[in-house]
Amino acid sequence: MSDHPETPVTPVEAFEPPYYLAVFSTVRTQDQSGYGETNARMEELVKDIPGFLGMDHAQTPGGLGITVGYFRDADALAEWRSHAEHRSAQQRGRADWYERYTLHVAKVERSHGFVRPSG
Amino acid sequence: MSDHPETPVTPVEAFEPPYYLAVFSTVRTQDQSGYGETNARMEELVKDIPGFLGMDHAQTPGGLGITVGYFRDADALAEWRSHAEHRSAQQRGRADWYERYTLHVAKVERSHGFVRPSG
């Protein structure tokens, strides 16, 4: 049972390795003007990258945010990394929205998923 | 400036690759009895694993939780994975606390950090 049955929350599935992921852990600044629009635009744009597999995001209120993007291979991730509009958003992020962040790019070697049996 | 200057939020730093990370993305059940105590115990235990580098955690209220653990090498991660008390907590998690989860274990190839210049 969920309070929001129209938007069920589901983590990105476990794909067949190898694939790539990028962990982006952030602490944001007080002034987030423009962040929401840009973030929504990026979420749309990344879907057009061939080899994009999905994205998980969690945000502790007033605390850490973690976004994990999943990609079929290093080329797909490189294409997203160098996308012109994404690069411009990255610059804006460093100028305005992020107090701190860390990015870790990694090759997945093993994965698995669990779904609670219904009933 | 922070509302909680006594507990500054800082993402785990970018270490020198290679190192390992495990992304654990979860959707929790309604009944979380016992979760807090076990989670706190696990956060203590993992610090004793040689090669444990740190952990990032974010939780969207009523939504996705993401925990990322960082380890110096695959052996360190394997030691944590097979730790008896951790295994028992994993079983309890599948029985009681998790509706769904996905685990991705990956080798970091590239990383970097950003800290806003002060002033």
Coordinates of all heavy atoms in Angstrom, one line a residue, chain A residues 5-72:
Chain A
P5 N -0.5 5.9 -5.0 CA -0.5 4.7 -5.9 C -0.3 5.1 -7.4 O 0.1 4.2 -8.2 CB -1.9 4.1 -5.7 CG -2.7 5.2 -5.1 CD -1.7 6.1 -4.3
E6 N -0.5 6.3 -7.7 CA -0.3 6.7 -9.1 C 1.2 6.9 -9.5 O 1.5 6.9 -10.6 CB -1.0 8.0 -9.4 CG -0.5 9.3 -8.8 CD -0.8 9.5 -7.3 OE1 -1.2 8.5 -6.7 OE2 -0.6 10.6 -6.8
T7 N 2.1 7.0 -8.5 CA 3.5 7.1 -8.8 C 4.3 6.1 -7.9 O 4.9 6.5 -7.0 CB 4.0 8.5 -8.5 OG1 3.7 8.9 -7.2 CG2 3.5 9.6 -9.4
P8 N 4.2 4.8 -8.3 CA 4.9 3.9 -7.5 C 6.4 4.1 -7.6 O 6.9 4.4 -8.6 CB 4.5 2.5 -8.1 CG 4.1 2.8 -9.5 CD 3.5 4.2 -9.4
V9 N 7.1 4.0 -6.5 CA 8.5 4.1 -6.4 C 9.2 2.8 -6.7 O 8.9 1.8 -6.0 CB 9.0 4.7 -5.1 CG1 10.5 4.9 -5.1 CG2 8.3 6.0 -4.8
T10 N 10.0 2.7 -7.7 CA 10.7 1.5 -8.0 C 12.2 1.8 -8.3 O 12.5 2.6 -9.2 CB 10.1 0.8 -9.2 OG1 8.7 0.6 -8.9 CG2 10.7 -0.5 -9.5
P11 N 13.1 1.1 -7.6 CA 14.5 1.4 -8.0 C 14.8 0.8 -9.4 O 14.1 -0.1 -9.8 CB 15.3 0.6 -6.9 CG 14.3 -0.3 -6.3 CD 13.0 0.2 -6.5
V12 N 15.8 1.4 -10.0 CA 16.2 0.8 -11.3 C 16.6 -0.6 -11.1 O 17.2 -1.0 -10.1 CB 17.4 1.7 -11.8 CG1 18.1 1.0 -13.0 CG2 16.9 3.1 -12.2
E13 N 16.3 -1.5 -12.1 CA 16.5 -2.9 -11.9 C 18.0 -3.3 -12.0 O 18.9 -2.5 -12.4 CB 15.8 -3.7 -13.0 CG 16.3 -3.3 -14.4 CD 15.5 -4.0 -15.5 OE1 15.5 -5.2 -15.6 OE2 14.8 -3.3 -16.3
A14 N 18.3 -4.5 -11.7 CA 19.7 -5.1 -11.8 C 19.8 -5.6 -13.3 O 19.1 -6.5 -13.6 CB 19.9 -6.2 -10.8
F15 N 20.7 -4.9 -14.0 CA 20.9 -5.4 -15.4 C 22.0 -6.4 -15.4 O 22.7 -6.7 -14.4 CB 21.3 -4.2 -16.3 CG 20.3 -3.1 -16.3 CD1 20.4 -2.0 -15.5 CD2 19.2 -3.2 -17.2 CE1 19.4 -1.0 -15.5 CE2 18.2 -2.2 -17.2 CZ 18.3 -1.1 -16.4
E16 N 22.2 -7.0 -16.6 CA 23.3 -8.0 -16.8 C 24.6 -7.3 -16.9 O 24.8 -6.4 -17.7 CB 23.0 -8.8 -18.1 CG 23.9 -9.9 -18.4 CD 23.7 -11.1 -17.5 OE1 22.6 -11.2 -16.9 OE2 24.7 -11.8 -17.2
P17 N 25.6 -7.5 -15.9 CA 26.9 -6.9 -16.0 C 27.6 -7.4 -17.3 O 27.3 -8.5 -17.7 CB 27.6 -7.3 -14.8 CG 26.5 -7.8 -13.8 CD 25.4 -8.4 -14.7
P18 N 28.6 -6.6 -17.8 CA 29.0 -5.3 -17.2 C 28.1 -4.1 -17.7 O 27.5 -4.2 -18.8 CB 30.4 -5.1 -17.8 CG 30.4 -5.8 -19.1 CD 29.4 -7.0 -18.9
Y19 N 27.9 -3.1 -16.9 CA 27.3 -1.8 -17.3 C 28.0 -0.8 -16.4 O 28.8 -1.1 -15.5 CB 25.8 -1.8 -17.2 CG 25.2 -2.2 -15.9 CD1 24.7 -1.3 -15.0 CD2 25.0 -3.6 -15.6 CE1 24.1 -1.7 -13.8 CE2 24.4 -3.9 -14.4 CZ 24.0 -3.0 -13.5 OH 23.4 -3.4 -12.3
Y20 N 27.6 0.5 -16.7 CA 28.3 1.6 -15.9 C 27.3 2.3 -15.1 O 26.1 2.3 -15.4 CB 29.0 2.5 -16.9 CG 30.4 2.1 -17.2 CD1 30.6 1.0 -18.1 CD2 31.5 2.7 -16.7 CE1 31.8 0.6 -18.5 CE2 32.8 2.3 -17.0 CZ 32.9 1.2 -17.9 OH 34.2 0.8 -18.2
L21 N 27.8 2.9 -14.0 CA 26.9 3.8 -13.2 C 27.8 5.0 -12.8 O 29.0 4.9 -12.7 CB 26.3 3.1 -12.0 CG 27.2 2.4 -10.9 CD1 27.8 3.5 -10.0 CD2 26.4 1.4 -10.1
A22 N 27.1 6.1 -12.6 CA 27.7 7.3 -12.0 C 26.9 7.7 -10.8 O 25.7 7.9 -10.8 CB 27.6 8.4 -13.1
V23 N 27.6 7.7 -9.6 CA 27.0 8.2 -8.4 C 27.4 9.7 -8.2 O 28.6 10.0 -8.2 CB 27.6 7.4 -7.2 CG1 27.1 8.0 -5.9 CG2 27.3 5.9 -7.3
F24 N 26.4 10.5 -8.0 CA 26.5 11.9 -7.9 C 25.9 12.3 -6.5 O 24.7 12.3 -6.4 CB 25.8 12.6 -9.0 CG 26.0 14.1 -9.1 CD1 27.2 14.7 -9.0 CD2 24.9 14.9 -9.3 CE1 27.4 16.1 -9.1 CE2 25.0 16.3 -9.4 CZ 26.3 16.9 -9.3
S25 N 26.7 12.6 -5.5 CA 26.3 12.9 -4.2 C 26.5 14.3 -3.9 O 27.6 14.9 -4.1 CB 27.1 12.1 -3.1 OG 26.9 10.7 -3.3
T26 N 25.4 15.0 -3.5 CA 25.4 16.5 -3.5 C 24.9 17.1 -2.1 O 24.1 16.5 -1.5 CB 24.6 17.1 -4.6 OG1 23.2 16.8 -4.3 CG2 24.9 16.5 -5.9
V27 N 25.5 18.2 -1.8 CA 24.9 19.1 -0.8 C 24.6 20.4 -1.5 O 25.5 21.0 -2.1 CB 25.9 19.4 0.4 CG1 25.3 20.3 1.4 CG2 26.3 18.0 1.0
R28 N 23.4 20.8 -1.4 CA 23.0 22.0 -2.2 C 23.1 23.3 -1.4 O 23.1 23.3 -0.1 CB 21.5 21.8 -2.7 CG 21.4 20.5 -3.5 CD 20.7 20.7 -4.8 NE 19.3 21.0 -4.7 CZ 18.3 20.1 -4.7 NH1 18.6 18.8 -4.8 NH2 17.1 20.5 -4.6
T29 N 23.1 24.4 -2.1 CA 23.2 25.7 -1.5 C 21.7 26.1 -1.0 O 20.8 25.4 -1.3 CB 23.7 26.8 -2.5 OG1 22.9 26.7 -3.6 CG2 25.1 26.5 -2.9
Q30 N 21.7 27.3 -0.4 CA 20.4 27.8 0.1 C 19.5 28.2 -1.1 O 18.3 28.0 -1.1 CB 20.6 29.0 1.1 CG 21.3 28.6 2.4 CD 20.4 27.9 3.3 OE1 19.2 28.2 3.5 NE2 20.9 26.9 4.0
D31 N 20.1 28.9 -2.0 CA 19.4 29.5 -3.2 C 19.3 28.5 -4.3 O 20.3 28.3 -5.0 CB 20.0 30.8 -3.6 CG 19.2 31.5 -4.7 OD1 18.1 30.9 -5.1 OD2 19.6 32.6 -5.1
Q32 N 18.1 27.9 -4.5 CA 18.0 26.9 -5.6 C 17.2 27.4 -6.8 O 16.6 26.6 -7.5 CB 17.3 25.7 -5.0 CG 18.2 24.9 -4.0 CD 19.4 24.3 -4.7 OE1 19.2 23.4 -5.5 NE2 20.6 24.7 -4.4
S33 N 17.2 28.8 -7.0 CA 16.5 29.4 -8.1 C 16.9 28.7 -9.4 O 18.1 28.6 -9.7 CB 16.8 30.8 -8.2 OG 16.8 31.5 -6.9
G34 N 15.9 28.2 -10.2 CA 16.2 27.6 -11.5 C 16.6 26.2 -11.4 O 16.6 25.5 -12.5
Y35 N 16.9 25.6 -10.3 CA 17.3 24.2 -10.2 C 16.3 23.3 -10.7 O 16.6 22.4 -11.5 CB 17.7 23.9 -8.8 CG 18.0 22.4 -8.6 CD1 19.3 21.9 -9.0 CD2 17.1 21.5 -8.1 CE1 19.5 20.6 -8.9 CE2 17.3 20.2 -8.0 CZ 18.6 19.7 -8.4 OH 18.9 18.4 -8.3
G36 N 15.0 23.4 -10.2 CA 14.0 22.5 -10.6 C 13.8 22.4 -12.1 O 13.7 21.3 -12.6
E37 N 13.7 23.5 -12.8 CA 13.5 23.5 -14.2 C 14.7 22.8 -14.9 O 14.5 22.0 -15.8 CB 13.4 24.9 -14.8 CG 12.2 25.7 -14.3 CD 12.6 26.5 -12.9 OE1 13.2 25.9 -12.1 OE2 12.2 27.6 -12.8
T38 N 15.9 23.2 -14.5 CA 17.1 22.6 -15.2 C 17.1 21.1 -14.9 O 17.4 20.3 -15.8 CB 18.4 23.2 -14.7 OG1 18.3 24.6 -15.0 CG2 19.6 22.6 -15.4
N39 N 16.8 20.7 -13.7 CA 16.9 19.3 -13.3 C 15.9 18.5 -14.1 O 16.2 17.4 -14.7 CB 16.6 19.1 -11.8 CG 16.8 17.7 -11.3 OD1 17.9 17.1 -11.6 ND2 15.8 17.1 -10.7
A40 N 14.7 19.0 -14.3 CA 13.6 18.3 -15.1 C 14.1 18.2 -16.5 O 13.9 17.2 -17.2 CB 12.3 19.1 -15.0
R41 N 14.7 19.3 -17.1 CA 15.2 19.3 -18.4 C 16.3 18.2 -18.6 O 16.3 17.4 -19.6 CB 15.7 20.6 -18.8 CG 16.4 20.7 -20.1 CD 15.5 20.7 -21.3 NE 16.2 20.9 -22.6 CZ 15.8 20.4 -23.7 NH1 14.7 19.6 -23.8 NH2 16.5 20.5 -24.8
M42 N 17.2 18.1 -17.7 CA 18.2 17.1 -17.7 C 17.6 15.6 -17.7 O 18.1 14.8 -18.4 CB 19.2 17.2 -16.6 CG 20.1 18.5 -16.6 SD 21.0 18.7 -18.2 CE 20.2 20.1 -18.9
E43 N 16.6 15.5 -16.8 CA 16.0 14.1 -16.7 C 15.3 13.7 -18.1 O 15.3 12.6 -18.4 CB 14.9 14.1 -15.6 CG 15.6 14.1 -14.2 CD 14.6 14.0 -13.1 OE1 13.3 14.0 -13.4 OE2 15.0 13.9 -11.9
E44 N 14.9 14.7 -18.8 CA 14.3 14.4 -20.1 C 15.4 14.1 -21.1 O 15.4 13.2 -21.9 CB 13.5 15.6 -20.6 CG 12.1 15.7 -20.0 CD 11.3 14.4 -20.1 OE1 11.2 13.9 -21.3 OE2 10.9 13.9 -19.1
L45 N 16.4 15.0 -21.1 CA 17.5 14.9 -22.1 C 18.3 13.6 -22.0 O 18.6 13.0 -23.1 CB 18.6 16.0 -21.9 CG 18.3 17.4 -22.6 CD1 19.5 18.3 -22.3 CD2 18.1 17.2 -24.1
V46 N 18.5 13.1 -20.8 CA 19.4 11.9 -20.7 C 18.7 10.7 -21.3 O 19.3 9.8 -21.7 CB 19.7 11.7 -19.2 CG1 18.6 11.3 -18.4 CG2 20.9 10.7 -19.0
K47 N 17.4 10.8 -21.3 CA 16.6 9.6 -21.9 C 16.9 9.4 -23.4 O 16.7 8.3 -23.9 CB 15.1 9.8 -21.7 CG 14.7 9.7 -20.2 CD 13.2 10.0 -20.1 CE 12.8 10.0 -18.6 NZ 11.4 10.7 -18.4
D48 N 17.4 10.5 -24.0 CA 17.7 10.4 -25.4 C 19.1 9.8 -25.7 O 19.4 9.6 -26.9 CB 17.6 11.8 -26.1 CG 16.1 12.3 -26.1 OD1 15.2 11.5 -26.1 OD2 16.0 13.5 -26.2
I49 N 19.9 9.7 -24.7 CA 21.2 9.1 -24.9 C 21.1 7.6 -25.1 O 20.6 6.9 -24.3 CB 22.1 9.3 -23.6 CG1 22.2 10.8 -23.3 CG2 23.5 8.7 -23.8 CD1 23.1 11.6 -24.2
P50 N 21.6 7.1 -26.3 CA 21.6 5.7 -26.6 C 22.4 5.0 -25.5 O 23.5 5.4 -25.2 CB 22.2 5.6 -27.9 CG 22.1 6.9 -28.6 CD 22.2 7.9 -27.4
G51 N 21.8 4.0 -24.9 CA 22.5 3.2 -23.8 C 22.2 3.7 -22.4 O 22.7 3.1 -21.5
F52 N 21.4 4.7 -22.3 CA 20.9 5.2 -21.0 C 20.0 4.1 -20.4 O 19.0 3.7 -21.1 CB 20.2 6.5 -21.0 CG 19.6 6.9 -19.8 CD1 20.3 7.3 -18.6 CD2 18.2 7.0 -19.7 CE1 19.7 7.6 -17.4 CE2 17.6 7.4 -18.5 CZ 18.3 7.7 -17.4
L53 N 20.2 3.6 -19.2 CA 19.4 2.6 -18.7 C 18.4 3.0 -17.6 O 17.4 2.3 -17.4 CB 20.3 1.5 -18.1 CG 21.3 0.8 -19.0 CD1 22.2 -0.1 -18.2 CD2 20.5 0.0 -20.1
G54 N 18.7 4.1 -17.0 CA 17.8 4.6 -15.9 C 18.5 5.4 -14.9 O 19.7 5.6 -14.9
M55 N 17.7 5.9 -13.9 CA 18.3 6.8 -12.9 C 17.5 6.6 -11.6 O 16.3 6.5 -11.6 CB 18.1 8.2 -13.4 CG 18.8 9.2 -12.6 SD 18.7 10.9 -13.4 CE 20.0 10.7 -14.6
D56 N 18.3 6.5 -10.5 CA 17.7 6.5 -9.1 C 18.0 7.8 -8.5 O 19.2 8.3 -8.6 CB 18.3 5.4 -8.3 CG 17.7 4.0 -8.6 OD1 16.6 3.9 -9.0 OD2 18.5 3.0 -8.5
H57 N 17.1 8.3 -7.7 CA 17.4 9.6 -7.0 C 16.7 9.5 -5.6 O 15.6 9.1 -5.4 CB 16.8 10.8 -7.7 CG 17.0 12.1 -7.0 ND1 18.3 12.6 -6.8 CD2 16.2 12.9 -6.4 CE1 18.1 13.7 -6.1 NE2 16.9 13.9 -5.8
A58 N 17.5 10.0 -4.6 CA 16.9 10.1 -3.2 C 17.5 11.4 -2.7 O 18.6 11.8 -2.9 CB 17.4 9.0 -2.4
Q59 N 16.7 12.1 -1.9 CA 17.0 13.4 -1.3 C 16.6 13.5 0.1 O 15.4 13.4 0.4 CB 16.4 14.5 -2.1 CG 16.6 15.9 -1.5 CD 18.1 16.4 -1.7 OE1 18.6 16.4 -2.8 NE2 18.7 16.8 -0.6
T60 N 17.5 13.5 1.1 CA 17.2 13.7 2.5 C 16.9 15.2 2.6 O 17.7 16.1 2.2 CB 18.4 13.4 3.4 OG1 18.7 12.0 3.2 CG2 18.0 13.6 4.8
P61 N 15.7 15.6 3.2 CA 15.4 17.0 3.3 C 16.4 17.7 4.1 O 16.8 17.3 5.2 CB 14.0 17.0 4.0 CG 13.5 15.6 3.8 CD 14.7 14.7 3.7
G62 N 17.0 18.8 3.5 CA 18.0 19.6 4.2 C 19.4 18.8 4.3 O 20.3 19.3 5.0
G63 N 19.5 17.7 3.6 CA 20.7 16.9 3.7 C 21.3 16.5 2.4 O 21.2 17.2 1.4
L64 N 21.8 15.3 2.4 CA 22.4 14.8 1.2 C 21.4 14.4 0.1 O 20.4 13.8 0.4 CB 23.3 13.5 1.6 CG 24.5 13.2 0.7 CD1 25.5 14.3 0.8 CD2 25.1 11.9 1.2
G65 N 21.8 14.6 -1.1 CA 21.1 14.1 -2.3 C 22.0 13.1 -3.0 O 23.2 13.4 -3.1
I66 N 21.4 12.0 -3.5 CA 22.2 11.1 -4.3 C 21.4 10.7 -5.5 O 20.3 10.4 -5.5 CB 22.5 9.7 -3.5 CG1 23.2 10.0 -2.2 CG2 23.3 8.8 -4.4 CD1 23.4 8.7 -1.3
T67 N 22.1 10.9 -6.7 CA 21.5 10.5 -8.0 C 22.5 9.5 -8.5 O 23.7 9.7 -8.5 CB 21.5 11.7 -8.9 OG1 20.6 12.7 -8.4 CG2 20.9 11.3 -10.3
V68 N 21.9 8.4 -9.0 CA 22.7 7.3 -9.6 C 22.2 7.1 -11.0 O 21.0 6.8 -11.2 CB 22.7 6.0 -8.9 CG1 23.7 5.0 -9.5 CG2 23.0 6.2 -7.4
G69 N 23.0 7.4 -12.0 CA 22.6 7.1 -13.4 C 23.3 5.8 -13.9 O 24.4 5.6 -13.6
Y70 N 22.5 5.1 -14.7 CA 23.0 3.8 -15.2 C 23.1 3.8 -16.7 O 22.1 4.3 -17.4 CB 22.0 2.6 -14.7 CG 21.9 2.6 -13.2 CD1 20.9 3.3 -12.6 CD2 22.7 1.8 -12.4 CE1 20.7 3.3 -11.2 CE2 22.6 1.8 -11.1 CZ 21.6 2.5 -10.5 OH 21.4 2.5 -9.1
F71 N 24.2 3.3 -17.2 CA 24.4 3.3 -18.7 C 25.0 2.0 -19.1 O 25.7 1.3 -18.4 CB 25.5 4.4 -19.0 CG 25.0 5.8 -18.6 CD1 25.1 6.3 -17.3 CD2 24.4 6.6 -19.6 CE1 24.6 7.6 -17.0 CE2 23.9 7.9 -19.3 CZ 24.0 8.4 -18.0
R72 N 24.7 1.6 -20.4 CA 25.1 0.3 -20.9 C 26.6 0.2 -21.0 O 27.1 -0.9 -20.8 CB 24.4 0.1 -22.3 CG 24.7 -1.1 -23.1 CD 24.8 -2.4 -22.2 NE 23.6 -2.8 -21.6 CZ 23.5 -3.7 -20.5 NH1 24.7 -4.1 -20.0 NH2 22.4 -4.0 -20.0

